[in-house]
Amino acid sequence: MNHYYVPHGGHPAQTELLTDRAMFTEAYAVLPRGTMRDIVTNNLPFWEQTRVWVLARPLTGFAETFSQYIVEVQPGGGSDRPETDPKAEGVLFVVEGAMSLTIGGTEHRLEVGGYAFIPPRSDWQVRAAGTDPLRFHWIRKAYEYVEGIEVPEAFVTNEHDVEPGAMAGTDGKWVTTRFVDPTDVRYDMHVNIVTFEPGAVIPFAETHIMEHGLYVLEGKAVYRLNQDWVEVQEGDFMWLRSFCPQACYAGGPGRFRYLLYKDMNRHPRFLV
């Protein structure tokens, strides 16, 4: 059974130290879990009994392709009109509670580890199911249409039903749970789960065009971001612009796992 760290809000006591690990640089940002307090939550149009932590938003000159939220819905709450932007596609990933998700009139129940891809212009609704609050990640992107390429259809699955694939040459110490075929160019974003066993590493500084959102679901590590080594733990969020050098060392006693967003399979856009 996998464990996922989930923020519950609250507010720090006056006796706590002010210092924390939060940072925002020209190449990356780190939002430690201690920043996800009651005071920084937001409400969304047409959502009931719901609040969100906005972890990332399109930001000119930084990461421009996606937004990412942690959504907290009280029992019975939810939305019959969750997405107000017809261009937006989305991925939902449940980390606590249960979700009733209806897409095109078909209802699905998502438990912890549940994953859903929702194409743009979809008719969908979401409710917290059961007696406990529902908490999930919601990653949104404006879908980039290409003439002659079909828009992918919606699907629902669970992490436990997807076999992770091992990175070559790592003896299974570095695996990725991929929810879509990486060669399927209908998809212009991937949201995967990456898992490192204790002591496993990314042994070079990845430097590439993809933007990233990395939410640490479990464990801790030392992450190389641009020119800095940064300690991260479960509940922290890393936000990376294109070409930010990145590597990591899983230094904890247990597994290190994160939910990973990246934009894929499209030409870079020209600025006009």
Side-chain angles (χ1 to χ4, degrees):
M1 180 64 67
N2 291 319
H3 162 76
Y4 310 117
Y5 182 88
V6 183
H8 286 184
H11 196 70
Q14 291 289 295
T15 54
E16 292 190 26
L17 291 176
L18 175 63
T19 54
D20 202 346
R21 295 170 293 111
M23 61 186 74
F24 192 98
T25 75
E26 63 181 10
Y28 71 89
V30 176
L31 281 66
R33 67 189 191 185
T35 65
M36 297 173 206
R37 304 290 188 169
D38 293 349
I39 198 171
V40 296
T41 58
N42 280 269
N43 300 314
L44 295 175
F46 310 114
W47 283 78
E48 304 161 4
Q49 302 180 63
T50 299
R51 64 178 185 171
V52 304
W53 284 278
V54 179
L55 304 180
R57 50 155 288 182
L59 194 62
T60 302
F62 191 71
E64 301 180 342
T65 63
F66 75 108
S67 65
Q68 183 164 346
Y69 313 148
I70 298 175
V71 184
E72 179 184 87
V73 186
Q74 296 303 314
S79 179
D80 294 328
R81 187 183 170 187
E83 180 57 77
T84 56
D85 188 339
K87 302 184 299 297
E89 60 186 323
V91 165
L92 312 180
F93 182 70
V94 177
V95 289
E96 194 168 73
M99 172 189 292
S100 172
L101 174 65
T102 301
I103 307 174
T106 300
E107 184 177 5
H108 308 269
R109 183 179 176 90
L110 279 68
E111 306 287 347
V112 173
Y115 182 108
F117 170 75
I118 303 173
R121 302 186 182 279
S122 293
D123 174 24
W124 63 285
Q125 299 80 40
V126 62
R127 293 282 163 184
T131 58
D132 297 319
L134 163 68
R135 296 180 176 92
F136 65 96
H137 287 261
W138 183 9
I139 299 171
R140 302 167 63 245
K141 182 183 182 296
Y143 185 76
E144 296 183 52
Y145 294 91
V146 177
E147 185 177 357
I149 302 294
E150 295 182 354
V151 177
E153 62 277 359
F155 70 87
V156 174
T157 186
N158 191 291
E159 178 195 354
H160 308 302
D161 299 324
V162 179
E163 184 69 25
M167 183 65 69
T170 66
D171 295 324
K173 296 178 181 178
W174 172 4
V175 302
T176 301
T177 304
R178 294 182 173 88
F179 295 91
V180 301
D181 181 350
T183 67
D184 188 340
V185 297
R186 296 179 303 161
Y187 295 95
D188 67 349
M189 72 168 178
H190 292 172
V191 179
N192 302 325
I193 295 176
V194 181
T195 302
F196 292 93
E197 296 299 325
V201 299
I202 298 177
F204 70 103
E206 296 185 27
T207 309
H208 53 62
I209 190 174
M210 286 85 78
E211 298 176 351
H212 278 335
L214 300 90
Y215 179 87
V216 183
L217 297 167
E218 178 183 352
K220 62 181 180 178
V222 181
Y223 229 95
R224 170 73 182 271
L225 299 172
N226 200 13
Q227 300 178 21
D228 307 317
W229 285 99
V230 179
E231 289 184 297
V232 293
Q233 64 179 338
E234 56 185 14
D236 293 349
F237 179 73
M238 292 171 278
W239 185 13
L240 281 58
R241 66 179 296 177
S242 295
F243 301 107
C244 174
Q246 59 199 268
C248 83
Y249 174 83
R255 297 185 307 173
F256 176 61
R257 311 186 74 229
Y258 54 80
L259 187 69
L260 172 69
Y261 160 87
K262 56 183 175 180
D263 50 316
M264 295 287 295
N265 300 334
R266 294 294 184 271
H267 287 290
R269 290 169 291 175
F270 293 113
L271 301 178
V272 294

